Amino acid sequence: MADETTNQGIPAPEGASHIIETDYEIGQDNFETQVGPFGLDIHNPVFLISALSIMAFVAYALFAPGSADAVFNGIDPSDTCEAGAFCDLGMRAYLTSNFDWFFLWSANIFVVFCLFLIVSPFGSVRLGGKDAKPDYGYPGWFAMLFAAGMGIGLMFFGVLEPVYYFGTPWGDEPLGVVRPFTEDGALIPENVAAARRMALAATSYHWALHPWAIYAVVALALALFSFNKGLPLTIRSAFYPIFGERVWGWTGHIIDTLAVFATLFGLATSLGFGAQQANAGLEYVYGLPNNVTVQVILIIAITLVALGSVLRGLDGGVKVLSEINMGMALLLLLFVLFAAGAATIMTGFGKGIVAYFQEVIPLSIPHGREDTGYMQGWTAFYWAWWISWSPFVGMFIARVSRGRTVREFVTCVLIIPSLVCVLWMAVFGGAAIEQVIADPAASAVKAQVIDSYNPPLSLFAMLEGLPFAAITSTIGIILVIVFFVTSSDSGSLVIDTITAGGKVDAPVPQRVFWCTFEGLVAIALLIGGGLGALQAMVISTGLPFTVILLLICWAILKGLIQERRNS
Amino acid sequence: MFKRIMAPVDLAHVERLGPALDCAADLAKHYGVPVVYVGVTSSLPSQLAHNPEEFGQKLAAFAEAEAARHGVETSAHTAIAHDPTTEVDDALMRAIDETGADLVVMASHVPNVMDYIWPSNGGKLAEHAKCSVMVVRS
């Protein structure tokens, strides 16, 4: 009896959405077993290939660090390479300097595509079918979008980037804007306004529409093909319109494995670097020793909290932590805003938005530019970085976005986070630039960003110039750590779902495995070296993923057309 | 003694639920009360259904089949969890209130060492639910 009901093909509900009819059954390639007391339900072969190849690459980075560095970072011990050759630049810089035009144009296409979706009739398609209700309210939803997507970047680059563009002595001025300092570090007052304006515009360019359009494209594709078309929630489903039934075979295995790969290494390497940043902050503020032992303890602590979070699940863990995180970040933002002078900063924010809209087109056109330091070293690097993170962030955004219309979805993923990012940069960067202008010689920010380049300390140097520095720096360190936890737990959920073939009800030990594995990879790379090489490798995956994302835009259009035809 | 029996079912593993399902039906017959079958799903496509509506249809078909097999009155109730791996217990706790059941009959595996770390769903429900809970080992 029971068997009849479970195996019968019951027709889909009428009129709600356009279900793709496929012979594939979710979980058909899965391997259910019991290892000791652990129940497992894993996708064969994606789980195995990902886990084994990740171990192989960690081993490569650990046992041949010189070679890995040479390939990916272009660190050449023998110093025999010609300047600009592949072996001089390494894979990452080679890609960002030779394919800068491709990255920039692709990102522009994603922005235009998203804006088109907002105004087109496709905007009315609802994710999850006509009558779907949103799973999450706005506050929880936004908190999760941010915490997974770029929370940690805001902490790291909020002060660093605006100040760097404002006063870079290394020739990375965006669009060749004038420098506000003379060679010996004295301020040139008449250049300040122009440099500050361009600093905010150029920073906002990297954090506003373009990155969020990249995330929105991936997230929309996954949400559409999963919630409306009934395909499993894994990256391969977005390719169904392109490859057809082949996505359930090796084509799909490779796509999913690549996504797991980029996500795990992206998380593990930034976990390693994040531990170094938190440690640098702890040393700066409390004089704690800055060494591998402290960093390993930090990684273990972060992993344990992330583990607790994934064990409590999406609603009880990840969402709660994201909300706490956003609450703390908001408090810090308000504090910096008022401590540094709300009137000045908000004027700067207004000017920043205007400058962004004036400069976004010149900044996003890769031809006839002299500022290659900015365009290749920063913009193309950022685009590759956002794109290599997009499978993870996109999949997580998709999972929490059911019940929104396409228009609401794109608006909320594109416009609102962009505004918040610009505000954040205007407040943190604006406050820091004020400090630099007020007294260049005594400014700790100038010392850490312009005089010597010490990125992890830029935030703490800015907070030092404001009241209650001890308290706010502590909050800053906690925020850095909690932002890592929220990336780590959402990342583990995503990897677990992909390696379970799109099942979201796989046994608990699997997500424990991925979360722990990520911490172990980070520790191994931290102790053995190779963090830089593997991070460069992850960013290098940005190039193939860009091609994939362009194909996805087409798949989305095709999917939306069918969706409208059916309703 | 009881007014309504709730029987949580995992449609993907119905073959393991035999004793619990029989027990629920026998008790329903004994007390002359209906059984409500509760299934937990996420809003994402699963191996069973493309969406919660389709899941609900399958669950209803299952409930009807059980009614025919045991000759008791049955109904179906779909509980949605965002993250079924960890939120099955909460979803079932909510379902007890929503269905107004005063007895839960559910299957559970024989406990092993892992139950000290992650208690079974049946164990958790027995510990926290206000109504009676009968855990049937399979």
Coordinates of all heavy atoms in Angstrom, one line a residue, chain A residues 1-2 5-6 8 10-13 19 25-26 32 34 37-38 135-136 226-227 230-231 233 310-316 399 402 493 502-509 511-512, chain B residues 10-16 21 42-54 57-59 61-63 65-66 68-69 80-87 90 112-114 118:
Chain A
M1 N 0.8 -1.2 0.0 CA 0.0 0.0 0.0 C 0.9 1.3 0.0 O 0.8 2.1 -0.8 CB -0.9 0.1 1.3 CG -2.2 -0.7 1.2 SD -3.2 0.1 0.0 CE -4.5 -1.1 -0.1
A2 N 1.7 1.3 1.0 CA 2.5 2.5 1.2 C 3.4 2.7 0.0 O 3.5 3.8 -0.5 CB 3.4 2.3 2.4
T5 N 1.7 4.6 -2.9 CA 1.5 6.0 -2.8 C 2.9 6.8 -3.0 O 2.9 7.8 -3.6 CB 1.0 6.4 -1.5 OG1 1.7 5.8 -0.5 CG2 -0.5 6.0 -1.4
T6 N 4.0 6.2 -2.5 CA 5.2 6.9 -2.6 C 5.8 6.9 -4.0 O 6.5 7.8 -4.4 CB 6.3 6.4 -1.6 OG1 6.4 5.0 -1.8 CG2 6.0 6.8 -0.2
Q8 N 4.0 6.6 -6.8 CA 3.1 7.1 -7.9 C 3.5 8.5 -8.3 O 3.8 9.3 -7.5 CB 1.6 7.1 -7.4 CG 0.8 6.0 -7.9 CD -0.5 5.8 -7.2 OE1 -0.9 6.7 -6.4 NE2 -1.1 4.7 -7.3
I10 N 2.3 11.7 -8.9 CA 1.0 12.5 -8.8 C 1.2 13.8 -9.5 O 2.3 14.4 -9.4 CB 0.8 12.7 -7.3 CG1 0.3 11.4 -6.7 CG2 -0.3 13.7 -7.1 CD1 0.1 11.4 -5.2
P11 N 0.2 14.2 -10.3 CA 0.4 15.4 -11.1 C 0.7 16.6 -10.2 O 0.2 16.7 -9.1 CB -0.9 15.5 -11.9 CG -1.9 14.7 -11.2 CD -1.1 13.6 -10.5
A12 N 1.4 17.6 -10.8 CA 1.8 18.8 -10.0 C 0.5 19.6 -9.8 O -0.4 19.5 -10.6 CB 2.8 19.5 -10.8
P13 N 0.6 20.5 -8.9 CA -0.6 21.4 -8.7 C -0.8 22.3 -9.9 O 0.1 22.6 -10.6 CB -0.2 22.2 -7.5 CG 1.3 22.0 -7.3 CD 1.6 20.7 -7.9
I19 N 6.4 23.2 -13.9 CA 7.4 22.2 -13.5 C 8.1 21.6 -14.7 O 7.5 21.3 -15.7 CB 6.6 21.1 -12.7 CG1 5.8 21.6 -11.6 CG2 7.5 19.9 -12.4 CD1 6.5 21.7 -10.3
E25 N 15.2 11.7 -10.3 CA 14.5 11.8 -9.0 C 15.6 12.3 -8.0 O 16.7 11.8 -8.0 CB 14.0 10.5 -8.6 CG 12.6 10.2 -8.9 CD 12.1 8.9 -8.3 OE1 12.4 8.7 -7.1 OE2 11.6 8.1 -9.1
I26 N 15.2 13.3 -7.2 CA 16.2 13.8 -6.3 C 16.6 12.6 -5.4 O 15.8 11.9 -4.9 CB 15.6 14.9 -5.4 CG1 15.3 16.1 -6.3 CG2 16.5 15.3 -4.3 CD1 14.7 17.3 -5.7
E32 N 22.9 5.8 0.7 CA 22.5 5.8 2.1 C 23.2 4.7 2.8 O 23.1 3.6 2.4 CB 21.0 5.7 2.2 CG 20.3 7.0 2.1 CD 18.8 6.9 2.4 OE1 18.5 6.7 3.6 OE2 18.0 7.0 1.5
Q34 N 25.1 3.4 6.9 CA 25.3 3.6 8.3 C 26.7 3.3 8.6 O 27.2 2.2 8.3 CB 24.4 2.6 9.0 CG 24.3 2.8 10.5 CD 23.3 3.9 10.9 OE1 22.5 4.3 10.2 NE2 23.5 4.5 12.1
P37 N 27.7 4.6 14.3 CA 26.5 5.2 14.7 C 26.0 6.3 13.8 O 25.0 6.8 14.0 CB 26.8 5.7 16.1 CG 28.3 6.0 16.1 CD 28.9 5.0 15.1
F38 N 26.8 6.6 12.8 CA 26.5 7.7 11.9 C 25.6 7.3 10.7 O 26.1 6.4 9.9 CB 27.7 8.5 11.4 CG 28.6 9.0 12.4 CD1 29.8 8.3 12.7 CD2 28.2 10.1 13.1 CE1 30.6 8.8 13.7 CE2 29.1 10.6 14.1 CZ 30.3 10.0 14.4
D135 N 9.1 32.9 3.0 CA 9.5 32.1 4.2 C 9.9 33.0 5.3 O 9.8 32.6 6.5 CB 10.6 31.2 3.8 CG 10.1 29.9 3.0 OD1 8.9 29.8 2.9 OD2 10.9 29.1 2.6
Y136 N 10.6 34.1 5.0 CA 11.2 34.9 6.0 C 10.7 36.4 5.9 O 10.5 36.9 4.8 CB 12.7 34.9 5.9 CG 13.3 33.6 6.3 CD1 13.6 32.7 5.3 CD2 13.4 33.2 7.6 CE1 14.1 31.4 5.6 CE2 13.9 32.0 7.9 CZ 14.3 31.1 6.9 OH 14.8 29.8 7.2
S226 N 14.6 25.7 -8.8 CA 14.3 24.9 -7.7 C 12.8 25.1 -7.3 O 12.0 24.1 -7.3 CB 15.3 25.2 -6.6 OG 15.3 24.2 -5.7
F227 N 12.5 26.3 -6.9 CA 11.1 26.5 -6.4 C 10.0 26.4 -7.4 O 8.9 26.0 -7.1 CB 11.1 27.9 -5.7 CG 11.9 28.0 -4.4 CD1 12.8 29.0 -4.3 CD2 11.9 27.0 -3.5 CE1 13.6 29.1 -3.1 CE2 12.7 27.0 -2.3 CZ 13.5 28.1 -2.2
G230 N 10.9 22.8 -9.8 CA 10.9 21.5 -9.1 C 12.2 20.7 -9.3 O 12.3 19.5 -9.0
L231 N 13.3 21.4 -9.7 CA 14.6 20.7 -9.7 C 15.3 20.8 -8.4 O 15.0 21.7 -7.6 CB 15.5 21.3 -10.9 CG 14.9 21.3 -12.3 CD1 15.9 21.9 -13.2 CD2 14.6 19.9 -12.7
L233 N 17.9 21.6 -5.4 CA 18.6 22.8 -5.1 C 20.1 22.5 -5.1 O 20.8 22.4 -4.1 CB 18.2 23.4 -3.7 CG 18.9 24.7 -3.3 CD1 18.4 25.8 -4.2 CD2 18.7 25.0 -1.9
V310 N 25.1 25.4 12.9 CA 24.5 24.5 11.9 C 23.7 23.4 12.6 O 22.7 22.9 12.1 CB 25.5 23.9 11.0 CG1 26.1 24.9 10.0 CG2 26.6 23.1 11.7
L311 N 24.1 23.0 13.8 CA 23.3 22.0 14.5 C 22.0 22.5 15.0 O 21.0 21.8 15.1 CB 24.1 21.5 15.8 CG 25.3 20.6 15.5 CD1 26.0 20.2 16.7 CD2 24.8 19.4 14.7
R312 N 21.9 23.8 15.2 CA 20.6 24.4 15.6 C 19.7 24.7 14.3 O 18.6 25.0 14.5 CB 20.8 25.7 16.4 CG 21.2 25.4 17.8 CD 21.3 26.7 18.6 NE 20.0 27.4 18.6 CZ 19.0 27.2 19.3 NH1 19.1 26.2 20.2 NH2 17.9 27.9 19.2
G313 N 20.4 24.6 13.2 CA 19.6 24.7 11.9 C 19.5 26.1 11.4 O 20.0 27.1 12.0
L314 N 18.7 26.3 10.3 CA 18.6 27.5 9.6 C 17.9 28.6 10.5 O 18.4 29.7 10.6 CB 17.8 27.3 8.3 CG 17.9 28.3 7.2 CD1 19.4 28.6 6.9 CD2 17.3 27.7 6.0
D315 N 16.8 28.2 11.1 CA 16.0 29.2 11.8 C 16.6 29.5 13.2 O 16.7 30.6 13.7 CB 14.6 28.7 12.0 CG 13.8 28.8 10.6 OD1 14.5 29.2 9.6 OD2 12.6 28.5 10.6
G316 N 17.0 28.4 13.9 CA 17.4 28.5 15.3 C 18.9 28.9 15.4 O 19.3 29.5 16.4
R399 N 18.0 29.9 -1.1 CA 17.3 29.0 -0.2 C 16.4 29.8 0.7 O 15.3 29.3 1.2 CB 18.3 28.3 0.7 CG 17.7 27.4 1.7 CD 18.5 26.2 2.0 NE 17.8 25.4 3.0 CZ 18.4 24.5 3.7 NH1 19.7 24.2 3.5 NH2 17.8 23.8 4.6
R402 N 12.3 32.1 -1.0 CA 11.1 31.6 -1.6 C 9.9 32.5 -1.2 O 9.8 33.1 -0.2 CB 10.8 30.2 -1.1 CG 9.6 29.6 -1.7 CD 9.4 28.2 -1.2 NE 8.4 27.5 -1.9 CZ 7.1 27.4 -1.6 NH1 6.7 28.0 -0.5 NH2 6.2 26.8 -2.3
L493 N 26.2 24.7 5.3 CA 24.8 24.2 4.9 C 24.8 24.0 3.4 O 24.2 23.1 2.8 CB 23.8 25.2 5.3 CG 23.3 25.3 6.7 CD1 22.2 26.2 6.9 CD2 22.9 23.9 7.2
G502 N 21.2 17.9 -3.5 CA 20.1 18.8 -3.4 C 19.1 18.4 -2.3 O 18.1 19.1 -2.1
K503 N 19.4 17.4 -1.5 CA 18.6 17.1 -0.4 C 18.8 18.1 0.8 O 20.0 18.3 1.1 CB 18.9 15.7 0.1 CG 18.2 14.6 -0.6 CD 18.3 13.3 0.2 CE 17.5 12.2 -0.4 NZ 17.6 11.0 0.4
V504 N 17.7 18.6 1.4 CA 18.0 19.4 2.5 C 17.7 18.7 3.8 O 17.7 19.3 4.9 CB 17.1 20.7 2.4 CG1 17.7 21.6 1.4 CG2 15.7 20.4 2.2
D505 N 17.4 17.4 3.7 CA 17.1 16.7 5.0 C 18.1 15.6 5.2 O 17.8 14.6 5.8 CB 15.7 16.1 5.0 CG 15.4 15.2 3.8 OD1 16.3 15.2 2.9 OD2 14.4 14.6 3.7
A506 N 19.4 15.8 4.8 CA 20.4 14.8 5.0 C 20.8 14.8 6.5 O 20.5 15.7 7.2 CB 21.6 15.2 4.2
P507 N 21.3 13.6 6.9 CA 21.6 13.5 8.4 C 22.5 14.6 8.9 O 23.4 15.0 8.2 CB 22.2 12.1 8.4 CG 21.8 11.4 7.2 CD 21.6 12.4 6.2
V508 N 22.4 14.9 10.2 CA 23.2 15.9 10.8 C 24.7 15.7 10.7 O 25.4 16.6 10.5 CB 22.7 16.0 12.3 CG1 23.6 17.0 13.0 CG2 21.3 16.5 12.4
P509 N 25.2 14.4 10.9 CA 26.7 14.2 10.9 C 27.3 14.8 9.6 O 28.5 15.2 9.7 CB 26.8 12.7 11.0 CG 25.6 12.2 11.6 CD 24.5 13.1 11.2
R511 N 26.6 17.6 7.9 CA 27.0 19.1 8.0 C 28.1 19.3 9.1 O 28.9 20.2 9.0 CB 25.8 19.9 8.3 CG 24.9 19.5 9.4 CD 23.8 20.5 9.6 NE 22.7 20.4 8.6 CZ 21.6 21.0 8.6 NH1 21.3 21.9 9.5 NH2 20.7 20.9 7.7
V512 N 28.1 18.4 10.1 CA 29.2 18.5 11.1 C 30.5 18.2 10.4 O 31.5 18.9 10.6 CB 28.9 17.4 12.2 CG1 30.1 17.4 13.2 CG2 27.7 17.8 13.0
Chain B
D10 N 7.5 9.5 7.8 CA 8.5 9.9 6.8 C 8.2 9.2 5.5 O 8.5 8.0 5.4 CB 9.9 9.6 7.4 CG 11.0 9.9 6.4 OD1 10.7 10.4 5.3 OD2 12.2 9.7 6.7
L11 N 7.6 9.8 4.6 CA 7.1 9.1 3.4 C 8.3 8.5 2.6 O 8.1 7.6 1.8 CB 6.4 10.1 2.4 CG 4.9 10.4 2.9 CD1 4.3 11.3 1.8 CD2 4.1 9.2 3.1
A12 N 9.5 9.0 2.8 CA 10.6 8.4 2.1 C 11.1 7.1 2.7 O 11.8 6.3 2.0 CB 11.8 9.4 2.1
H13 N 10.7 6.8 3.9 CA 11.1 5.6 4.6 C 9.9 4.9 5.2 O 10.0 4.4 6.3 CB 12.1 5.9 5.7 CG 13.4 6.5 5.1 ND1 13.7 7.8 5.3 CD2 14.3 6.0 4.3 CE1 14.9 8.1 4.7 NE2 15.3 7.0 4.1
V14 N 8.8 4.8 4.4 CA 7.6 4.1 5.0 C 7.9 2.7 5.4 O 7.3 2.2 6.4 CB 6.5 4.2 3.9 CG1 5.3 3.5 4.4 CG2 6.1 5.7 3.7
E15 N 8.8 2.0 4.7 CA 9.0 0.6 5.0 C 9.5 0.4 6.4 O 9.3 -0.7 7.0 CB 10.0 0.0 3.9 CG 11.4 0.5 4.0 CD 11.7 1.9 3.5 OE1 10.7 2.5 2.9 OE2 12.8 2.4 3.6
R16 N 10.1 1.4 7.0 CA 10.6 1.2 8.4 C 9.5 1.5 9.4 O 9.8 1.4 10.6 CB 11.8 2.2 8.6 CG 13.0 1.9 7.7 CD 14.1 2.7 8.2 NE 15.1 2.8 7.1 CZ 16.0 3.8 7.0 NH1 16.0 4.8 7.9 NH2 16.9 3.8 6.0
L21 N 2.9 2.2 12.5 CA 1.7 2.5 11.8 C 0.6 1.5 12.2 O -0.6 1.9 12.4 CB 1.9 2.4 10.3 CG 2.8 3.5 9.7 CD1 3.0 3.2 8.2 CD2 2.1 4.9 9.8
S42 N 10.3 20.4 3.6 CA 10.8 21.8 3.4 C 10.1 22.3 2.1 O 9.4 21.6 1.4 CB 12.3 21.9 3.2 OG 12.6 21.6 1.9
S43 N 10.2 23.6 1.9 CA 9.5 24.1 0.7 C 10.3 23.8 -0.6 O 9.9 24.1 -1.7 CB 9.3 25.6 0.8 OG 10.4 26.3 1.3
L44 N 11.5 23.3 -0.4 CA 12.4 22.9 -1.6 C 11.9 21.6 -2.2 O 11.3 20.8 -1.5 CB 13.8 22.8 -1.1 CG 14.5 24.1 -0.8 CD1 15.7 23.9 0.1 CD2 14.9 24.8 -2.1
P45 N 12.2 21.4 -3.4 CA 11.9 20.1 -4.0 C 12.7 19.0 -3.3 O 13.8 19.2 -2.9 CB 12.5 20.2 -5.4 CG 12.6 21.7 -5.7 CD 12.9 22.3 -4.4
S46 N 12.0 17.9 -3.1 CA 12.7 16.7 -2.4 C 12.5 15.5 -3.3 O 11.9 15.6 -4.4 CB 12.1 16.5 -1.1 OG 10.7 16.1 -1.2
Q47 N 13.0 14.4 -2.8 CA 12.9 13.2 -3.7 C 11.4 12.8 -3.8 O 11.0 12.0 -4.7 CB 13.7 12.1 -3.1 CG 13.2 11.5 -1.8 CD 14.3 10.7 -1.1 OE1 14.9 11.1 -0.2 NE2 14.5 9.5 -1.7
L48 N 10.6 13.3 -2.9 CA 9.2 12.9 -2.9 C 8.3 13.8 -3.8 O 7.3 13.4 -4.4 CB 8.6 12.9 -1.5 CG 9.1 11.8 -0.6 CD1 8.9 12.1 0.8 CD2 8.5 10.5 -1.0
A49 N 8.6 15.1 -3.7 CA 7.7 16.0 -4.3 C 8.4 17.3 -4.8 O 9.4 17.7 -4.2 CB 6.6 16.4 -3.3
H50 N 7.8 18.0 -5.8 CA 8.4 19.2 -6.3 C 8.2 20.4 -5.4 O 8.9 21.3 -5.4 CB 7.8 19.5 -7.7 CG 8.2 18.6 -8.8 ND1 7.3 17.7 -9.3 CD2 9.4 18.3 -9.3 CE1 8.0 17.0 -10.2 NE2 9.2 17.3 -10.2
N51 N 7.1 20.3 -4.6 CA 6.8 21.4 -3.8 C 5.8 21.0 -2.7 O 5.3 19.8 -2.7 CB 6.1 22.6 -4.6 CG 5.1 22.1 -5.5 OD1 4.2 21.3 -5.1 ND2 5.1 22.6 -6.8
P52 N 5.6 21.8 -1.6 CA 4.8 21.3 -0.5 C 3.4 20.9 -0.9 O 2.8 20.0 -0.3 CB 4.7 22.6 0.4 CG 5.9 23.4 0.0 CD 6.1 23.1 -1.4
E53 N 2.8 21.5 -1.9 CA 1.4 21.1 -2.3 C 1.4 19.7 -2.8 O 0.5 18.9 -2.4 CB 0.9 22.0 -3.5 CG 0.6 23.5 -3.1 CD 1.9 24.3 -3.0 OE1 2.9 23.9 -3.5 OE2 1.8 25.4 -2.4
E54 N 2.4 19.4 -3.6 CA 2.5 18.0 -4.2 C 2.7 17.0 -3.0 O 2.2 15.9 -3.0 CB 3.6 17.9 -5.2 CG 3.5 16.7 -6.1 CD 4.7 16.6 -7.1 OE1 5.2 17.7 -7.5 OE2 5.0 15.5 -7.4
Q57 N -0.5 16.3 -1.3 CA -1.3 15.4 -2.1 C -0.8 13.9 -1.8 O -1.7 13.0 -1.7 CB -1.2 15.7 -3.6 CG -1.9 17.0 -3.9 CD -1.6 17.4 -5.4 OE1 -0.9 16.7 -6.1 NE2 -2.2 18.5 -5.8
K58 N 0.5 13.7 -1.8 CA 1.0 12.4 -1.6 C 0.6 11.9 -0.2 O 0.3 10.7 0.1 CB 2.5 12.3 -1.8 CG 2.9 12.5 -3.2 CD 4.3 12.0 -3.5 CE 4.5 11.9 -5.0 NZ 5.8 11.4 -5.3
L59 N 0.8 12.8 0.8 CA 0.5 12.5 2.2 C -1.0 12.1 2.3 O -1.4 11.1 3.0 CB 0.8 13.6 3.1 CG 0.8 13.3 4.6 CD1 1.9 12.3 4.9 CD2 1.1 14.6 5.4
A61 N -2.9 10.9 0.0 CA -3.1 9.6 -0.7 C -2.7 8.5 0.3 O -3.4 7.5 0.4 CB -2.3 9.5 -2.0
F62 N -1.6 8.8 1.0 CA -1.1 7.8 2.0 C -2.2 7.6 3.1 O -2.5 6.4 3.5 CB 0.2 8.3 2.6 CG 0.7 7.4 3.7 CD1 1.3 6.2 3.4 CD2 0.5 7.8 5.0 CE1 1.8 5.4 4.5 CE2 1.0 7.1 6.1 CZ 1.6 5.9 5.8
A63 N -2.7 8.7 3.6 CA -3.7 8.6 4.7 C -4.9 7.8 4.2 O -5.5 7.0 4.9 CB -4.1 10.0 5.1
A65 N -5.0 5.5 1.9 CA -4.6 4.1 1.8 C -4.6 3.4 3.1 O -5.1 2.3 3.3 CB -3.3 4.0 1.1
E66 N -4.1 4.1 4.1 CA -4.1 3.6 5.5 C -5.6 3.4 6.0 O -5.9 2.4 6.7 CB -3.4 4.5 6.4 CG -1.9 4.5 6.3 CD -1.2 3.1 6.6 OE1 -1.3 2.8 7.8 OE2 -0.8 2.4 5.7
A68 N -8.2 2.7 4.2 CA -8.7 1.6 3.5 C -8.2 0.3 4.1 O -8.9 -0.7 4.3 CB -8.5 1.6 2.1
R69 N -6.9 0.3 4.5 CA -6.2 -0.9 5.0 C -6.7 -1.3 6.4 O -6.9 -2.5 6.7 CB -4.7 -0.6 5.0 CG -3.9 -1.9 5.2 CD -2.5 -1.8 4.6 NE -1.7 -0.8 5.3 CZ -0.7 -1.1 6.1 NH1 -0.4 -2.4 6.3 NH2 0.0 -0.2 6.7
I80 N 5.6 22.3 7.5 CA 6.7 22.8 6.7 C 7.9 23.3 7.6 O 7.6 24.0 8.6 CB 6.3 23.9 5.8 CG1 5.3 23.3 4.8 CG2 7.5 24.6 5.1 CD1 4.8 24.3 3.8
A81 N 9.1 22.8 7.4 CA 10.2 23.3 8.1 C 11.2 23.9 7.2 O 11.4 23.3 6.1 CB 10.8 22.1 8.9
H82 N 11.9 25.0 7.5 CA 12.9 25.6 6.6 C 14.1 24.7 6.5 O 14.8 24.6 5.5 CB 13.3 26.9 7.1 CG 12.2 27.9 7.1 ND1 12.0 28.9 8.0 CD2 11.2 28.1 6.2 CE1 10.9 29.6 7.7 NE2 10.4 29.2 6.6
D83 N 14.4 24.0 7.5 CA 15.7 23.2 7.6 C 15.3 21.9 8.2 O 15.6 21.7 9.4 CB 16.7 24.0 8.4 CG 18.1 23.3 8.3 OD1 18.2 22.3 7.6 OD2 19.0 23.8 9.0
P84 N 14.7 20.9 7.5 CA 14.2 19.7 8.1 C 15.2 18.9 8.9 O 14.8 18.3 9.9 CB 13.7 18.9 6.9 CG 13.6 19.8 5.8 CD 14.6 20.9 6.0
T85 N 16.5 19.0 8.5 CA 17.5 18.2 9.2 C 17.4 18.4 10.7 O 17.5 17.5 11.5 CB 18.9 18.5 8.7 OG1 18.9 18.2 7.3 CG2 19.9 17.6 9.4
T86 N 17.3 19.7 11.1 CA 17.3 20.0 12.5 C 16.0 20.5 13.1 O 15.9 20.6 14.3 CB 18.4 21.2 12.7 OG1 18.0 22.3 11.9 CG2 19.7 20.7 12.4
E87 N 15.0 20.7 12.2 CA 13.8 21.3 12.8 C 12.6 20.4 12.7 O 11.5 20.9 12.9 CB 13.5 22.6 12.0 CG 14.5 23.7 12.3 CD 14.6 24.8 11.3 OE1 13.7 24.9 10.5 OE2 15.5 25.7 11.4
D90 N 10.7 20.6 16.1 CA 9.9 21.8 16.3 C 8.6 21.7 15.5 O 7.5 22.1 15.9 CB 10.7 23.0 15.9 CG 11.9 23.2 16.9 OD1 11.8 22.7 18.0 OD2 12.9 23.8 16.4
N112 N 21.4 4.3 20.1 CA 22.8 3.9 20.1 C 23.5 5.0 20.8 O 23.0 6.0 21.3 CB 23.3 3.6 18.7 CG 23.1 4.8 17.8 OD1 23.2 5.9 18.2 ND2 22.9 4.5 16.5
V113 N 24.9 5.0 20.7 CA 25.7 5.9 21.4 C 25.4 7.4 21.0 O 25.5 8.3 21.7 CB 27.2 5.6 21.2 CG1 27.5 5.5 19.8 CG2 28.1 6.5 22.0
M114 N 25.0 7.5 19.7 CA 24.8 8.9 19.2 C 23.6 9.6 19.8 O 23.5 10.8 19.8 CB 24.6 8.8 17.6 CG 25.8 8.5 16.9 SD 27.3 9.4 17.4 CE 26.8 11.0 16.7
W118 N 22.7 13.4 19.9 CA 21.5 13.9 19.2 C 20.4 12.9 19.5 O 20.3 11.8 18.9 CB 21.8 13.8 17.7 CG 22.7 14.9 17.2 CD1 22.6 16.2 17.3 CD2 24.0 14.6 16.5 NE1 23.7 16.8 16.8 CE2 24.6 15.9 16.3 CE3 24.6 13.5 16.1 CZ2 25.8 16.0 15.7 CZ3 25.8 13.6 15.5 CH2 26.4 14.9 15.2

